Amino acid sequence: MNEAWLHVGLVSNAAELNLEKVQGSNGLGVMQLRFHVKASCRDAEAAQRAMWFEGTLWAQRIGVGSGYIGRLVVDQPPVTLQKVGATTTFTLVADIAPRQLQIIEEYRTSALTLQLQLIGTTMRDGHLERLGVGNFEYEVTQSDWMALLEQMQYRRLLLIELDVPDASRSAEYGAALSYYRAAEKHYLNQEWRLTVESLRQTLAALVGKKADDEDDVMDVEAAAKSLRKEARSTDVGYSPRAEQVRLALKFMADLGAHPEVAETTKTDAYSTLLMVGGLLHGWQR
């Protein structure tokens, strides 16, 4: 239902609201769905009134249920219809976090329905008066949803969210997680080299070693040759391959301990932080 009726006082159909289109936009760390609504005055009771609208946005037909997305607000309130037969347009805006879009994409099978639940208020004789507003249901086809995601620039930002691991798995794992948290603090303080140095300690602590125990390129080469030889005669599972990744990441992070190398950049620190975080998340030892 792309239309809803506005009830003012005792008049049940004082104005008609038509949801004409939906657009996406991208902001600073947040995305938006913008719903363009055309309002038409059908009765004098709705004319020359300042009206305010707000509400909630829900996604339906995702998986087996529906989910709350966020609040709806009018972009530039209030909304006013000057006379019977007059029309005006306004925009309802909902902020959406990238994580919400990720969840929708995980459960959506094809098209989905967006439900807008609105409430309205106006002024009468100096007092606020509630307006009755019907709900919108806007069906978004597969192709339209893809267009909205493109407008919101979804997936143009690499977003990785991992559950905080259980530090009690082992003493080694707890120590590694402690170093990783230190790396996160260094990163927030824009200390790129110290970030990588803490990650270096993280990777060594995972196997109960100190950071300087594995700082020779020969260690990485020997481990790679050994694993390659083993893979020729037997199936090599995730655990030994993860150990090879750990060694390679440790070799990368060793640069953070040597002041004679080129200055560690934010990109170096961030990419290493992400890779080590992924390894920590899946570490099975």
Side-chain angles (χ1 to χ4, degrees), residues 15-168:
E16 183 181 7
L17 305 180
N18 283 278
L19 179 53
E20 296 192 315
K21 64 178 179 179
V22 182
Q23 290 180 310
S25 66
N26 179 266
L28 188 61
V30 70
M31 303 171 187
Q32 288 185 335
L33 284 174
R34 303 176 64 85
F35 300 86
H36 299 271
V37 180
K38 178 180 179 181
S40 304
C41 186
R42 302 302 187 198
D43 188 277
E45 192 68 21
Q48 298 184 356
R49 284 187 183 278
M51 297 178 287
W52 292 265
F53 298 100
E54 60 180 319
T56 55
L57 177 65
W58 297 74
Q60 297 181 323
R61 294 169 56 190
I62 50 173
V64 294
S66 63
Y68 169 78
I69 294 179
R71 292 184 63 241
L72 284 163
V73 296
V74 175
D75 196 8
Q76 294 181 331
V79 177
T80 305
L81 293 165
Q82 297 299 330
K83 61 182 180 179
V84 176
T87 63
T88 189
T89 58
F90 62 94
T91 305
L92 291 163
V93 180
D95 289 342
I96 302 181
R99 175 60 176 159
Q100 290 177 295
L101 290 178
Q102 182 181 342
I103 292 172
I104 290 174
E105 285 301 278
E106 286 176 0
Y107 290 98
R108 183 181 63 85
T109 55
S110 56
L112 74 154
T113 299
L114 297 174
Q115 184 183 62
L116 291 72
Q117 299 178 354
L118 298 182
I119 58 174
T121 54
T122 188
M123 294 290 293
R124 185 192 294 272
D125 300 327
H127 299 284
L128 286 175
E129 178 181 298
R130 179 71 70 187
L131 299 173
V133 188
N135 295 329
F136 292 108
E137 285 191 358
Y138 191 86
E139 184 169 340
V140 184
T141 65
Q142 171 87 356
S143 59
D144 288 344
W145 181 246
M146 292 299 102
L148 288 172
L149 292 179
E150 180 68 21
Q151 291 165 3
M152 290 185 283
Q153 298 186 15
Y154 179 63
R155 293 298 189 190
R156 294 188 185 182
L157 173 67
L158 178 62
L159 177 71
I160 297 178
E161 288 191 9
L162 301 173
D163 293 332
V164 177
D166 182 5
S168 64

